[in-house]
Amino acid sequence: MKKVILTIATAALLSVSAFADGGKKASASAATASYTVKQEFAADFSNAESVVWTVTKTCQKADFVADGSKKTAFYTLGGDFLGTTQTTTYAAIPAKSQKMIADQYKGYVAGDVIVYQTAESLNANVEPTAYFVDLKSDKHEVLVRVTGEGYIELFKQVK
């Protein structure tokens, strides 16, 4: 169970770190995704276009476009589906969270927002949806995690 939670957290961190680092790519091998994962992906995302696969030390991921939106699907190296990420708007996070961010992070401006939707089948104890909001001030940049219920927590100090 801990391994599943750790894997999900790693996948989320990889995705969130990618946009927090200004879009720099994480180091990836030239290896291609497994046949099993590609077949599962094709079944789950039959409308996916422009699919680009990347295999890292911790996961297999597919960057793709579906319904006009850029998305990323994550799979374990063993082939289990972890979840998806996609950018969204600040308005998509709960209003309660927006107020909490405004109160706790005065002087910060919200930048990119990524929504992470996990595969509940792997662990029912993990919240199915979380938002990661990049907040910047003149001197600092932080990444906060917003739960589906609207609570916020510091996820990472970027600078």
Side-chain angles (χ1 to χ4, degrees):
M1 175 117 123
K2 285 183 181 179
K3 195 173 190 179
V4 171
I5 293 171
L6 181 60
T7 304
I8 290 170
T10 301
L13 181 60
L14 285 173
S15 177
V16 172
S17 293
F19 89 81
D21 290 341
K24 297 176 192 169
K25 295 281 184 187
S27 74
S29 70
T32 184
S34 70
Y35 174 81
T36 305
V37 166
K38 286 184 176 181
Q39 294 303 310
E40 183 177 334
F41 175 82
D44 292 343
F45 303 99
S46 59
N47 62 342
E49 300 172 349
S50 305
V51 181
V52 176
W53 286 95
T54 305
V55 179
T56 68
K57 294 179 196 176
T58 56
C59 70
Q60 302 175 75
K61 72 175 188 167
D63 292 302
F64 62 101
V65 175
D67 303 321
S69 298
K70 289 177 153 182
K71 298 181 180 187
T72 303
F74 293 90
Y75 296 84
T76 65
L77 294 176
D80 295 319
F81 177 64
L82 295 171
T84 60
T85 61
Q86 76 179 67
T87 54
T88 190
T89 64
Y90 187 71
I93 67 173
K96 168 183 170 181
S97 302
Q98 291 179 33
K99 182 170 178 2
M100 291 171 73
I101 289 171
D103 292 343
Q104 293 179 24
Y105 293 93
K106 290 184 189 315
Y108 284 79
V109 176
D112 295 326
V113 178
I114 290 183
V115 59
Y116 177 67
Q117 296 174 307
T118 188
E120 292 180 75
S121 60
L122 285 180
N123 187 351
N125 297 328
V126 175
E127 263 194 76
T129 303
Y131 300 88
F132 294 88
V133 183
D134 186 36
L135 299 172
K136 296 178 184 177
S137 72
D138 293 339
K139 297 181 182 180
H140 301 286
E141 182 177 1
V142 296
L143 198 56
V144 295
R145 180 178 176 268
V146 178
T147 66
E149 294 178 359
Y151 299 103
I152 64 169
E153 64 187 15
L154 178 65
F155 185 74
K156 183 179 180 182
Q157 181 79 35
V158 178
K159 78 171 192 184

